[in-house]
Amino acid sequence: MDIFGRLSDYDVFAYLPQGFFVLAAFDFFFGTSFVIHASWDVPTGVFVLFLSYAAGHLVAGPASRILEAGIVHNMLKPPSVHLLSPEQRASWLLRSLLPAYFSPLSRPTRACVQAALAKAGTGLHGDEAYWVAYTVAKRDDQAKPRLENFLNVYGFCRNLSFIAAVTAELLLVQALVAPRLDTFGSAAHEVMVAAGFALISFQLFKRYLKFYRLYSIEVFVVFAAVEADAT
């Protein structure tokens, strides 16, 4: 049975690579050898692949709850809210850190989307309007590959951003409690490595927001086009 051939693109993008990073971090902190200094035969390699896939799933849950549901949906608000807003709705600090995320759709595009929503018989806005548009856009054969690509990439960036953030936190705690002098030479160097992982996490988070926003734009634009063609 071709088990790995049955994996979807999202499995490959959002679970397997992240699982390898989790196992590598586990090797570093606990002295195992799943990835670092590993010597695989075929059965061990297959086992590590399965373990990576499982670890990727375990990471995806908290990454979705903390980054997507917690930070994005509760604090920043989802892209659909900002795309249909006539002006940017965020503090100066957030707009400085994430300038593109809070930008609305252009006025003509926004007008087309709102006209399509009115035609569909709904006056909803923001995330509620997104789900109305999504039910239409997901059935469009031309849009489906683009939506899948955006989903794959934003899932990859979100989960990897979460892993990098957790790694930074663990390195910082270790530097303060029991620094790895054999690896870093000093606690200060370990703190610098932790800061590097934190920066990587933030950059990946920005990439996640970029592709999450592009996914939402695709949904709204396709929805407006489908509704316009139906007239």
Side-chain angles (χ1 to χ4, degrees), residues 76 82 87-90 94-95 98-104 213:
L76 302 179
H82 303 293
E87 57 185 18
Q88 293 191 359
R89 299 164 61 182
L94 288 176
R95 293 199 307 272
L98 307 167
Y101 182 73
F102 299 102
S103 300
R213 181 175 181 271

Side-chain angles (χ1 to χ4, degrees), residues 118-136:
K119 180 185 173 185
T122 175
L124 297 176
H125 299 280
D127 211 30
E128 294 84 359
Y130 166 83
W131 288 110
V132 173
Y134 176 76
T135 59
V136 175

